[in-house]
Amino acid sequence: MRFLCRITAIVLVLSGCGVITEHESKTIPLNQLPNPTVVTKGQWVVNDNGQPMENPQTSGLTAWRDGFLSLSDRSAELYHQQRIHFIDTSAQLAPVSLPIHYSETIRNSCFGEYLTANPDLEALAVSPHNDQELVMVTEDASYSPLSRECAEQYSPTGSTPFPTLLVRLLFQQDHWLASAVRPLQFSKSQGLGNFPNDGFEGLVFDKNNTLYMALEKDGSGNPRIFTVDITDSFWQSQTFVEAQSPEISVPSFSKGRHPINGLSLYTDSLGTEWLIAAARNDNQLWLIDTNDQHETRIIDVEYYSSSTPSNDECEPQKVMHTSGIEGVAVAHTSLWLINDPWKEQYLNNIECDADAQTYQQFSPLLFEIPLDEIFH
């Protein structure tokens, strides 16, 4: 796959700065120069028959062994839900996607009914010390009331009535075992608000087992990043774990919707550790220094789709009206991104009748951007 990199005269004017937390964070000044722009052409994710993957509603991407793992949210085709999909770097889907099974501990917990029925699963992060261990997070559980006893125990979330859940997955050869769960709790001063379907959609670990979590929208309508330290004893309890607000500079806005829908991490040649956040609605990548020593960098991205495999009737590539990126992973000297076909907007990408069916079945694309086009 070949990629282009160029600078355009597109200027983003941020309408606010800083991050809304209990502490004062470094502000982000208005850009004095145009944002750098990268251009990337996607490959359709295809099954072993060469047909584009149908409506997986991709909710995360993480590098795993020689490829990537993804999962599907609650709006995907039923046969994609509650499964972990393996995709290689050529966008080839493995013939078998492994199901998620739940331990008796989870089944008998206050969260068992929700998780084993129709959960809204988002994001994946691989443990930095054991690639057979993953963490995923839940989002919308607004239709999953707790029993009276459970509600008394888990209602003070500081956010939504049903708590956001972190779930540990363990690799078991023919399935992934959801073995443990922890609910998240937020303080009033963190100002999350009650937005069940605008929750966490990005997860990534650093080398010290700190889990970074990207939130779509807080009580002021801004994206946020929180952390949790995953200690050796973390999964031995089902009590609340308090999410922390790190001192890092995330763009804020006075209007509009600017969620973070994917999160990864990269350490550059100088040792600076950067969070790479996918700002889906803005077609941007935000490069955020985890130590808050450098200004946040903003990269504009132009996403091009490929013609459907074996289709010679359409242009070989065209810029997408809506990409809907919802997974970000660093691997093989590149940044890889996958989209969650947004049902309300995805059909706006149709410019050629021969490609219409691929968009109508909400097939995703895998994109690659060499890291040296971003960090230079």
Side-chain angles (χ1 to χ4, degrees):
M1 185 186 300
R2 297 193 310 173
F3 299 89
L4 304 174
C5 181
R6 61 187 176 83
I7 304 297
T8 66
I10 303 172
V11 180
L12 171 73
V13 178
L14 296 180
S15 53
C17 56
V19 59
I20 304 170
T21 66
E22 306 95 322
H23 55 262
E24 181 179 354
S25 180
K26 182 184 295 182
T27 58
I28 302 174
L30 297 178
N31 288 342
Q32 302 300 312
L33 297 172
N35 298 327
T37 298
V38 295
V39 178
T40 177
K41 177 185 175 182
Q43 302 178 84
W44 295 105
V45 178
V46 297
N47 60 27
D48 53 349
N49 292 320
Q51 297 302 307
M53 190 179 188
E54 184 175 356
N55 192 29
Q57 294 298 295
T58 316
S59 295
L61 188 75
T62 191
W64 194 73
R65 301 187 179 179
D66 58 347
F68 308 96
L69 298 177
S70 73
L71 80 167
S72 301
D73 68 21
R74 188 168 56 193
S75 59
E77 294 297 316
L78 186 61
Y79 59 86
H80 287 316
Q81 295 179 33
Q82 299 271 44
R83 305 184 79 86
I84 304 294
H85 313 295
F86 181 81
I87 304 167
D88 69 19
T89 55
S90 66
Q92 178 72 50
L93 182 69
V96 177
S97 297
L98 299 186
I100 298 172
H101 295 171
Y102 291 89
S103 67
E104 287 300 313
T105 300
I106 288 182
R107 289 178 177 275
N108 294 329
S109 74
C110 287
F111 315 117
E113 182 179 357
Y114 169 66
L115 286 172
T116 59
N118 190 24
D120 194 15
L121 305 177
E122 303 284 347
L124 286 174
V126 179
S127 167
H129 307 299
N130 178 10
D131 76 351
Q132 297 188 64
E133 179 177 348
L134 307 176
V135 175
M136 63 181 179
V137 67
T138 63
E139 193 176 28
D140 189 4
S142 55
Y143 300 104
S144 303
L146 295 167
S147 68
R148 177 179 298 180
E149 180 180 353
C150 290
E152 290 176 357
Q153 183 176 0
Y154 291 112
S155 287
T157 67
S159 181
T160 54
F162 191 100
T164 295
L165 306 176
L166 294 177
V167 182
R168 181 178 65 169
L169 298 172
L170 300 177
F171 183 55
Q172 304 291 305
Q173 297 300 323
D174 62 350
H175 67 277
W176 287 88
L177 177 66
S179 64
V181 59
R182 289 293 297 272
L184 292 173
Q185 189 175 51
F186 305 89
S187 66
K188 182 178 180 180
S189 62
Q190 288 172 322
L192 256 71
N194 179 7
F195 303 107
N197 199 31
D198 290 285
F200 289 92
E201 295 212 351
L203 298 176
V204 69
F205 277 103
D206 71 6
K207 62 184 179 181
N208 298 316
N209 243 34
T210 294
L211 182 67
Y212 288 86
M213 309 178 297
L215 180 76
E216 285 192 282
K217 182 175 73 173
D218 67 6
S220 298
N222 283 304
R224 298 278 293 281
I225 292 176
F226 293 87
T227 61
V228 167
D229 291 326
I230 308 295
T231 63
D232 291 341
S233 61
F234 183 87
W235 299 109
Q236 295 175 15
S237 167
Q238 290 186 2
T239 59
F240 276 121
V241 57
E242 295 183 4
Q244 304 300 311
S245 302
E247 289 192 44
I248 56 178
S249 301
V250 180
S252 63
F253 305 84
S254 62
K255 61 181 179 179
R257 293 172 57 86
H258 306 271
I260 296 173
N261 294 92
L263 196 66
S264 192
L265 187 144
Y266 174 69
T267 301
D268 67 19
S269 60
L270 299 178
T272 302
E273 187 179 70
W274 300 92
L275 290 172
I276 306 177
R280 180 188 70 183
N281 290 9
D282 299 287
N283 281 340
Q284 291 177 341
L285 299 173
W286 298 341
L287 312 182
I288 304 167
D289 179 5
T290 60
N291 290 314
D292 207 34
Q293 299 300 304
H294 298 84
E295 294 179 1
T296 294
R297 305 176 186 175
I298 297 173
I299 310 291
D300 292 319
V301 185
E302 291 183 1
Y303 296 98
Y304 281 76
S305 65
S306 304
S307 292
T308 302
S310 303
N311 184 350
D312 298 326
E313 299 178 29
C314 304
E315 292 294 326
Q317 61 181 29
K318 50 188 176 296
V319 68
M320 298 185 72
H321 177 276
T322 301
S323 60
I325 297 299
E326 200 158 310
V328 186
V330 171
H332 310 294
T333 70
S334 291
L335 182 69
W336 302 79
L337 308 103
I338 197 168
N339 63 329
D340 173 15
W342 188 4
K343 292 183 177 180
E344 294 180 4
Q345 300 288 334
Y346 209 50
L347 300 188
N348 292 329
N349 289 310
I350 298 174
E351 296 182 6
C352 172
D353 290 342
D355 278 345
Q357 182 177 350
T358 308
Y359 284 108
Q360 289 166 353
Q361 67 182 24
F362 305 109
S363 301
L365 295 123
L366 182 68
F367 300 88
E368 180 187 4
I369 303 174
L371 286 165
D372 60 10
E373 291 191 9
I374 302 172
F375 297 91
H376 52 75

